[in-house]
Amino acid sequence: MIDRRHLIALAVLATAGAANAKAAPNAQAPDFTLRQIDGPNLRLGEQRGRVVMVNFWATWCGPCRVELPHLARLHDKYRGSGFLLLGVNIDEDPGAAKALAAKLGLTFPVLLDSKKEVVGSYDLNAMPATVLIDRDGRVRHLHRGYKEGVEALYEQQVRALLKE
């Protein structure tokens, strides 16, 4: 169940996305630098040459909890082929993100966007939200929300981008 605080967070996401709709297919992905949950800062711009999936999620988002294990399998399967998954958590409490990442055994980098600055630079109005970026740093696919079975589409899109 989503409480009032989470509804406000979703409203902020919708407003930020509408005001700063900078991420669109074939546009350059907005660059960002965020702190990893268990490590140094990571900059998106330094990942050029890789296919990057950026998944925005929160611990209070039920669909996010369902999707994350599927994404972890996708990351593990293709990371040796030039694919990188970045999980961007938007919770205000980094401890909650760290606990869920550990519970789910996530192997991909989890980044913290507790001030919601990065999520605001992408055209997002749903949680989870997933952005696929090609080797040249261009947004190729935007996915808003989660539907069972979308993992097959993600894999198809990742494979196609890896072949380019």
Side-chain angles (χ1 to χ4, degrees):
M1 186 106 188
I2 297 178
D3 65 21
R4 186 174 190 278
R5 181 177 50 135
H6 296 128
L7 287 173
I8 291 169
L10 284 173
V12 168
L13 287 175
T15 303
N20 299 308
K22 297 176 187 170
N26 296 312
Q28 200 67 27
D31 195 14
F32 61 82
T33 300
L34 288 172
R35 184 172 60 86
Q36 293 184 60
I37 218 165
D38 281 326
N41 289 348
L42 189 143
R43 181 174 174 225
L44 178 64
E46 293 173 353
Q47 308 311 313
R48 291 279 167 85
R50 294 179 172 184
V51 172
V52 179
M53 176 182 276
V54 181
N55 177 261
F56 294 92
W57 63 280
T59 58
W60 49 263
C61 167
C64 299
R65 290 172 175 258
V66 172
E67 183 178 55
L68 286 168
H70 296 292
L71 296 178
R73 285 190 289 277
L74 187 65
H75 177 257
D76 292 345
K77 184 173 182 178
Y78 291 101
R79 68 179 167 190
S81 302
F83 173 68
L84 176 64
L85 172 62
L86 301 175
V88 177
N89 178 270
I90 66 162
D91 284 302
E92 292 176 11
D93 175 16
K98 185 173 184 172
L100 183 59
K103 179 180 177 183
L104 296 176
L106 302 182
T107 58
F108 53 85
V110 174
L111 311 174
L112 302 171
D113 186 24
S114 58
K115 294 181 182 178
K116 297 168 187 56
E117 293 170 352
V118 173
V119 74
S121 68
Y122 283 78
D123 181 19
L124 307 172
N125 56 8
M127 289 301 287
T130 303
V131 181
L132 265 167
I133 302 167
D134 68 16
R135 294 178 193 271
D136 296 323
R138 291 177 295 139
V139 173
R140 296 294 289 277
H141 303 282
L142 287 169
H143 298 276
R144 294 171 184 90
Y146 172 78
K147 291 183 184 175
E148 187 176 335
V150 74
E151 304 83 21
L153 177 59
Y154 289 165
E155 184 166 6
Q156 178 185 20
Q157 291 173 340
V158 166
R159 289 175 60 142
L161 290 174
L162 287 171
K163 289 179 183 177
E164 289 183 0

